[in-house]
Amino acid sequence: MDANEPREQNAGGWSQFGDTPPTAGGFTRPLPTITPPPPPPPPRTGFLLTRKAITGLALAAVAALSVAALGGGAMGAYLAGANSPAPVATTTASAPSPVFRTAADQLTVAQVAEKVQPSVVMIQGQSGEGSGVVLSEDGLILTNNHVVAGQNGQLTVKFNDGKTAKATVVGTDPATDLAVIRTEGMSGLAKVTLGDSDGLKVGDDVLAIGSPLGLDGTVTSGIISALDRTVTAGGGPNQQQLPPGWGGGREQAPETTTLGGMIQTDAAINPGNSGGALVNAAGELVGINSAIAADGVNLGFAIPVNTAKQVSDQLISKGKVSHAFLGVSVTDAAGDVPGALIRQVTAGSPAEKAGLKQGDLITKLGNTPVGGGDTVVGQVRGYKVGQQVQVTYLRDGKTNTVTVTMLEKK
């Protein structure tokens, strides 16, 4: 494949079901009279327990009992080994329930949402709509390229307080699916706080904020499910992973592109969330929501904010983006070892200068394992011009490593 060609990926799912209510006991002799307890308080309104929710509670109870049993056994063995008396059985009613520790214990989900919502906008075009985040008080907005592509400059931005303003395109970068627009006549806007996507860990709490299906200001919560994903997005109907709305939704579909280093999250992302904010538990922007798995559930992908900042800074200052260039044409490996097989090396390219040759099998770029040609394409698009990257490859059955200095793609 060429260094700009995509690949497809697969998805799957799971389900759970069923529980059986307990039956009455079989005592035959009369029982002593017991004073009935006072009637329970009236039920709280606003919440309904479905069958699935009840099943989930039953499973949680079984899991808790199992953990308690294991913990008690371990403690008993320890005390017996120390020649101590047998432990006295106690209940766990007073023990606090375990909770997840977030990155910002001082903020609740509601507080994070309240902090970030004023910095997230809805973008409406001639034939589609999406979301965006406020970069500056005077109206610079960061969004996805596929949100503004094909709208013929007819863009309207709706803010969290209900105000609207016309907007013009500052610059777009289809290779990273990012764009910057500027609203007219605005000042004093609440700009988003930028975080550090390099510090993210799998399991971190996040919120996705945007305008799914035209419902502006929508907040969904989840975690970081995985990092450094390579996503092939857009294009024809056979593509597995699509930005929200591509292929028949609200937003318009430009050409296919391959994006590397993506953040995967289980926070619900739907058509219209494109260009919106993925924020951490401190209310800092860590990603731009961009893609979903068309056949999956709770599989969303966001462009890391560090990449988005690098691209947006260039779009604002120059109106275009300088991309790194490796200089190889690759295809997926066909053998037992995963990687990207080099089909061709461009003369005078960074790859040739580093000594890479046709037939070499690239297995790692920096610290990122290479599963196929798409990984190389996506990762290279995220590198900076002048950046030095270690390339690990196989040649004649031996593993080698070289350092490649990225040049600007002409």
Side-chain angles (χ1 to χ4, degrees), residues 140 169-173 180 182 309-324 383-385 408-410:
L140 287 172
V169 175
V170 174
T172 63
D173 184 40
V180 175
R182 181 187 290 276
K309 184 179 186 305
Q310 171 194 339
V311 172
S312 62
D313 285 347
Q314 294 184 65
L315 290 177
I316 293 169
S317 62
K318 302 185 297 184
K320 63 178 183 179
V321 179
S322 298
H323 286 289
Y383 293 144
K384 300 177 182 178
V385 176
E408 182 177 357
K409 184 177 181 180
K410 302 299 183 181

Side-chain angles (χ1 to χ4, degrees), residues 91-310:
T91 65
T92 58
S94 61
S97 298
V99 296
F100 288 109
R101 184 178 64 86
T102 63
D105 294 328
Q106 74 275 16
L107 296 179
T108 66
V109 170
Q111 289 171 327
V112 172
E114 183 180 15
K115 173 183 177 181
V116 180
Q117 279 179 317
S119 303
V120 182
V121 302
M122 174 191 282
I123 301 174
Q124 298 170 311
Q126 184 181 27
S127 60
E129 60 189 32
S131 306
V133 294
V134 178
L135 290 180
S136 68
E137 296 180 358
D138 61 352
L140 287 172
I141 308 290
L142 175 63
T143 186
N144 282 137
N145 172 68
H146 73 263
V147 171
V148 302
Q151 303 305 321
N152 299 320
Q154 300 183 28
L155 300 173
T156 301
V157 174
K158 181 181 179 182
F159 294 90
N160 182 249
D161 59 4
K163 295 180 180 178
T164 61
K166 298 295 183 182
T168 56
V169 175
V170 174
T172 63
D173 184 40
T176 57
D177 193 25
L178 290 168
V180 175
I181 63 176
R182 181 187 290 276
T183 57
E184 300 174 359
M186 301 302 295
S187 62
L189 298 176
K191 65 179 182 179
V192 73
T193 301
L194 301 182
D196 180 10
S197 52
D198 288 343
L200 291 175
K201 292 181 173 58
V202 173
D204 283 351
D205 293 309
V206 289
L207 299 182
I209 305 178
S211 305
L213 303 177
L215 302 173
D216 56 306
T218 296
V219 179
T220 56
S221 66
I223 63 169
I224 299 296
S225 303
L227 295 168
D228 208 17
R229 294 296 199 199
T230 299
V231 176
T232 297
N238 294 326
Q239 290 295 335
Q240 184 77 14
Q241 295 171 329
L242 308 173
W246 286 19
R250 290 174 175 259
E251 298 146 14
Q252 199 170 22
E255 69 278 3
T256 297
T257 188
T258 297
L259 306 172
M262 298 283 277
I263 302 166
Q264 181 182 326
T265 179
D266 69 348
I269 297 175
N270 292 282
N273 271 117
S274 289
L278 187 72
V279 300
N280 62 16
E284 300 168 334
L285 183 72
V286 294
I288 299 296
N289 299 320
S290 301
I292 57 176
D295 296 334
V297 177
N298 290 348
L299 286 173
F301 301 90
I303 300 169
V305 70
N306 290 5
T307 299
K309 184 179 186 305
Q310 171 194 339

